[in-house]
Amino acid sequence: MKNIEKYSRGYFMPPVKSLKWTEKEYIMEAPTWCSVDLRDGNQALVVPMSLEEKLQYFQLLLEVGFKEIEVGFPAASETEYAFLRTLIEQDLIPDDVTIQVLTQSREHIISKTFEALQGVNKAVVHLYNSTSVAQREQVFKKPKKQIIDIAVTGAKMLKKYAAKTEGDFQYQYSPESFTGTEVEFALDICNQVLNVWQPTADNKVIINLPATVSMSMPHVYASQIEYMSDHLNYRDNVILSLHPHNDRGTGVADAELGMLAGAQRVEGTLFGNGERTGNVDIVTLALNMYSHGVDPKLNFDNIPKIIFRYEKLTKMMVHERHPYGGELVFTAFSGSHQDAIAKGMKWREEKERQYWTVPYLLIDPMDIGREYEGDIIRINSQSGKGGIGYVLQQKYGLDLPAEMRESFGYSVKNVSDRKHKELMPNEIYDIFTNEYVNINTPVEFINYRFTQNDHYETIVSILMNKEEHEFIGVGNGRLDAISNVLQNQLGIHYKDLIYKEHALEIGSGSNAVSYVGITAMNGDVYWGCGIDADIMTSSVKALFSAVNNMIVKLQLPVEKKVIFSNGS
C-alpha cells in the first residue's frame, strides 16, 4: 500500500517491563461491569434515543444485571438532564444500582452536573480531560503542567460540589486518550488527582484508563495497565477500570488482557455500540468468561430477546456473524462441520458428559436462548449428509440409515444449488417425502395377507396400469415373501436388500417408519421409505417405494408372469 511512511506507532511502552499478566491462564472472576450504552453508545447513534427510549433501555440494562450504569452527560443537553432527573424523581434506580454521569473539568459543567444529581441515592461522577501528546499539542496547545492543573482543579471542584449536594458520590477520573499518552505522565496526572481525593477503604475512587483510540496490539495495552496498577498511589483503595474502544478490532482482547494485568472494572456496551468502530462488547466479554466456566454475573440467557429490544431502541443491527448474538454464529452449512456437530450431539446424549465439548460449538446455544432446531445446522448446497440427516431427525424424527443419508444428501444439495438458496427444514422434508415416502407408481401396493408353515406365504394385491392383481409369494420372512413376488413374478430384479425400522415419535402418533435400500443389477442403489401405523405395512411400503424409484430411474419394463386371482 502507498504512504506507509506517514504512519508511526503513536503509543508508549512503560519505562519498565510489565509482564506478570502473561503468567495467568484466564480471567478467574467477573469484573465490575459498567454499561455506557446510554452515554457513549447513545451519542454514537445516528438518531440518539428519546427520553422514553432511554427509560426502556435503562430497564433492559437492569434486567441484564448491570449494577453500574452511565446514564449520560447531564450538562450536555436538555434530554440528558431530563433523563437523569426522571430516574431520580420517579425513583427508578434500584437500591443496589449506581448510576454514573460524565463531566468535563469545567466549573459550569460540574455545577450543572451536580444540580442534575440532587437527591440521588448513589452516583459515580466521572471527571475527564485529555492527556495525549496529540491532544496537548494540537487541540489544547498546553504543556504537561497545565494539563495536570486542569485535572487537579476539576478534582477539587468535584469535592466542593459533592459536599453541598444531597446524595452519596464516588469519584472517577479518566486521562482521556490514555493510549496516546506517555505512561509516566498518565501515572503522574492520575496520582495527583488521587492526592486530591485521598481515597480510603470505605470511600474508594475509580481510575479509568481508556483506549479512547486503540493504537497498539493488546499486549502493549496490558503492559501499560499493569504498570499503572503497580504504581498508582492508594492502590488498595483504587478501583482500576478499563474503557477500550475497538479501532483496531481488538477491543475484547484489550479488555481481557487488561483484566489479566490488574483491572477490576470494565466499561462497555451491549454488542459494542459506540463512536467509530465502537466500544468493547460486553456481551462477548461476558460470554467468553462463561465459556471458561466463570460466572460473568450478567444475564444473557435469552440473547434473541435482548437483541430484539436492542435493535428496536437503537436502530442498530446485530450482525449475523457477531460473536454469540449473531443469527448465524452457531450455524454450520459445511458438510464436514455438520457431520461432526451431529455426531457430537449424539455422543453427548449417549454419554451424558458433564462438560460441553461438542465440536465447533464453543458453548451450548440453548444456554443463551438459541434453539438447536434451525440454529445449529442449516442446509444449502455446501451441506453434507450428516447435517441433512440431523435436521430430519431433530425436526421430524426420521433416523435415516447412513447409506440413505448420503443418497438423500445429494438430492438436497442439488435442489439448493439449482435454486441458489438455503433450504428450510420443511423444504427438506418435502423433498424427502416426494422422493422416498410411500411411492406408489408405477406399481402400487394395495394389501397383503400371510400364512406361516415352514415358511411365509403371502397373497399380495398390487395395482398396475389401473388394474388390481393378486400374486402369491413365498419366503423366509414376510418382507422376503413380498420381495420374491416382485422379483419372480413381475421380473423386477435387484439384490442386497438393506432394511431399517423405528417408531416415528415426532408429530405422528403411533406411526412406524421403515427404510429399504435395494441394489440394481447395474450396481446402483435405490431407496424407499414407508410410513404407516402398522410396522409391517410400513416395511412393505418402503420396499415398493425403493422398487418404484428403481423402475422409473432405469425405465424397467414390468411384466406379469404368474397371476393368482379368485382362488384359481
Side-chain angles (χ1 to χ4, degrees):
M1 293 180 66
K2 297 179 180 179
N3 301 322
I4 60 172
E5 68 279 356
K6 73 192 291 184
Y7 297 104
S8 64
R9 290 168 291 281
Y11 57 85
F12 300 88
M13 289 293 290
V16 296
K17 286 186 177 180
S18 297
L19 298 173
K20 295 190 296 293
W21 61 268
T22 63
E23 300 171 3
K24 300 175 183 178
E25 181 182 352
Y26 63 96
I27 300 162
M28 300 185 68
E29 62 180 355
T32 297
W33 303 106
C34 178
S35 162
V36 295
D37 291 80
L38 291 169
R39 196 276 303 170
D40 200 340
N42 184 60
Q43 74 184 32
L45 298 176
V46 176
V47 179
M49 286 180 275
S50 66
L51 176 60
E52 180 58 34
E53 286 172 332
K54 292 191 77 170
L55 289 170
Q56 292 180 43
Y57 204 103
F58 183 76
Q59 183 59 40
L60 171 61
L61 295 173
L62 294 179
E63 291 172 17
V64 169
F66 285 99
K67 300 304 180 185
E68 295 189 8
I69 300 172
E70 188 171 79
V71 297
F73 196 144
S77 72
E78 285 303 313
T79 300
E80 299 282 283
Y81 187 94
F83 174 56
L84 177 54
R85 291 312 307 162
T86 299
L87 292 176
I88 295 171
E89 292 169 6
Q90 295 187 17
D91 196 23
L92 298 177
I93 307 168
D95 291 341
D96 62 344
V97 172
T98 301
I99 61 167
Q100 177 172 303
V101 293
L102 186 69
T103 180
Q104 294 175 334
S105 184
R106 300 167 69 183
E107 185 161 13
H108 72 283
I109 293 177
I110 292 173
S111 172
K112 184 78 170 179
T113 299
F114 277 93
E115 176 187 309
L117 285 168
Q118 184 70 35
V120 72
N121 184 26
K122 292 183 295 184
V124 173
V125 184
H126 182 185
L127 173 74
Y128 77 96
N129 68 302
S130 194
T131 60
S132 69
V133 173
Q135 293 267 15
R136 296 193 320 256
E137 292 179 348
Q138 300 172 39
V139 180
F140 298 107
K141 296 181 172 60
K142 294 181 184 294
K144 290 179 180 180
K145 182 180 184 305
Q146 292 184 31
I147 299 298
I148 292 174
D149 287 344
I150 292 172
V152 169
T153 300
K156 291 176 179 177
M157 285 190 289
L158 255 62
K159 290 185 70 174
K160 181 180 78 171
Y161 280 93
K164 57 184 181 181
T165 304
E166 179 187 356
D168 181 9
F169 302 107
Q170 184 177 26
Y171 306 136
Q172 174 173 325
Y173 174 69
S174 290
E176 192 206 358
S177 58
F178 165 76
T179 45
T181 304
E182 307 92 324
V183 181
E184 301 98 312
F185 178 58
L187 178 66
D188 184 17
I189 196 168
C190 288
N191 278 336
Q192 294 209 41
V193 168
L194 289 171
N195 289 339
V196 172
W197 286 339
Q198 297 184 351
T200 65
D202 296 327
N203 190 23
K204 294 184 177 183
V205 304
I206 302 167
I207 292 295
N208 186 60
L209 303 176
T212 308
V213 178
S214 177
M215 304 176 73
S216 68
M217 294 177 68
H219 72 288
V220 173
Y221 185 58
S223 294
Q224 294 168 337
I225 298 303
E226 185 171 274
Y227 179 83
M228 294 290 288
S229 178
D230 287 345
H231 294 87
L232 283 170
N233 293 345
Y234 309 94
R235 181 63 185 91
D236 290 343
N237 301 323
V238 171
I239 299 167
L240 187 58
S241 177
L242 307 177
H243 185 117
H245 278 242
N246 199 41
D247 304 85
R248 302 180 78 254
T250 58
V252 168
D254 287 339
E256 289 182 327
L257 298 192
M259 283 188 276
L260 291 180
Q264 303 145 288
R265 181 178 184 270
V266 174
E267 296 185 347
T269 59
L270 297 180
F271 307 108
N273 180 39
E275 296 279 12
R276 306 182 309 278
T277 57
N279 289 283
V280 67
D281 174 12
I282 287 182
V283 176
T284 301
L285 265 177
L287 291 177
N288 279 355
M289 296 178 62
Y290 181 75
S291 75
H292 285 166
V294 177
D295 185 357
K297 308 296 186 182
L298 293 174
N299 180 11
F300 294 119
D301 62 5
N302 194 335
I303 283 286
K305 181 179 178 181
I306 292 172
I307 290 175
F308 175 79
R309 294 168 68 184
Y310 168 84
E311 292 183 340
K312 179 181 178 182
L313 293 170
T314 65
K315 314 302 186 293
M316 301 284 288
M317 301 301 294
V318 175
H319 192 275
E320 292 172 332
R321 299 294 182 187
H322 194 106
Y324 301 105
E327 181 183 351
L328 297 178
V329 297
F330 294 107
T331 301
F333 288 104
S334 162
S336 60
H337 289 205
Q338 291 176 342
D339 185 59
I341 290 171
K343 289 175 179 175
M345 296 291 286
K346 185 175 182 180
W347 184 87
R348 177 175 174 78
E349 182 179 333
E350 292 173 349
K351 302 292 184 180
E352 297 183 354
R353 304 296 293 181
Q354 177 182 357
Y355 296 109
W356 178 263
T357 58
V358 175
Y360 297 111
L361 298 180
L362 181 61
I363 65 172
D364 185 347
M366 293 283 284
D367 288 338
I368 59 171
R370 303 294 294 273
E371 299 293 334
Y372 294 150
E373 180 186 306
D375 273 343
I376 294 182
I377 292 177
R378 290 165 60 173
I379 304 303
N380 63 15
S381 61
Q382 305 302 307
S383 303
K385 62 183 186 298
I388 294 167
Y390 179 84
V391 169
L392 283 181
Q393 184 172 14
Q394 292 296 309
K395 178 73 174 178
Y396 300 103
L398 295 167
D399 186 12
L400 279 59
E403 302 92 333
M404 189 180 190
R405 286 201 302 270
E406 183 171 3
S407 175
F408 179 53
Y410 286 115
S411 297
V412 172
K413 291 168 67 173
N414 289 338
V415 172
S416 177
D417 193 35
R418 186 172 66 252
K419 293 185 176 182
H420 299 288
K421 65 186 288 285
E422 177 189 356
L423 298 180
M424 297 296 102
N426 65 298
E427 294 177 289
I428 296 166
Y429 181 73
D430 287 344
I431 295 170
F432 180 77
T433 55
N434 291 336
E435 190 164 328
Y436 297 105
V437 178
N438 298 347
I439 307 300
N440 56 19
T441 57
V443 179
E444 181 177 356
F445 162 71
I446 302 298
N447 208 340
Y448 60 79
R449 35 187 207 279
F450 286 102
T451 60
Q452 180 180 3
N453 297 309
D454 295 334
H455 52 262
Y456 285 88
E457 182 176 297
T458 183
I459 299 175
V460 58
S461 299
I462 296 174
L463 184 68
M464 297 185 302
N465 298 320
K466 299 183 180 180
E467 294 183 8
E468 185 173 343
H469 307 280
E470 289 185 334
F471 298 92
I472 294 177
V474 178
N476 296 325
R478 294 180 178 184
L479 192 62
D480 184 52
I482 292 179
S483 176
N484 287 336
V485 169
L486 295 171
Q487 297 205 68
N488 299 333
Q489 300 191 39
L490 297 182
I492 304 169
H493 300 297
Y494 51 85
K495 56 185 178 179
D496 301 332
L497 189 146
I498 303 170
Y499 175 73
K500 178 182 178 180
E501 66 183 39
H502 64 80
L504 191 57
E505 298 176 350
I506 297 179
S508 59
S510 58
N511 274 353
V513 59
S514 299
Y515 313 93
V516 168
I518 56 175
T519 304
M521 304 316 291
N522 67 357
D524 293 340
V525 179
Y526 295 90
W527 288 93
C529 175
I531 298 177
D532 194 88
D534 177 72
I535 186 64
M536 186 63 222
T537 302
S538 75
S539 303
V540 175
K541 287 182 177 180
L543 174 60
F544 271 74
S545 297
V547 167
N548 281 321
N549 281 334
M550 183 180 70
I551 291 171
V552 171
K553 184 68 174 179
L554 299 180
Q555 298 181 340
L556 297 177
V558 179
E559 302 174 357
K560 297 176 288 183
K561 292 187 176 180
V562 179
I563 300 178
F564 177 86
S565 180
N566 299 325
S568 59

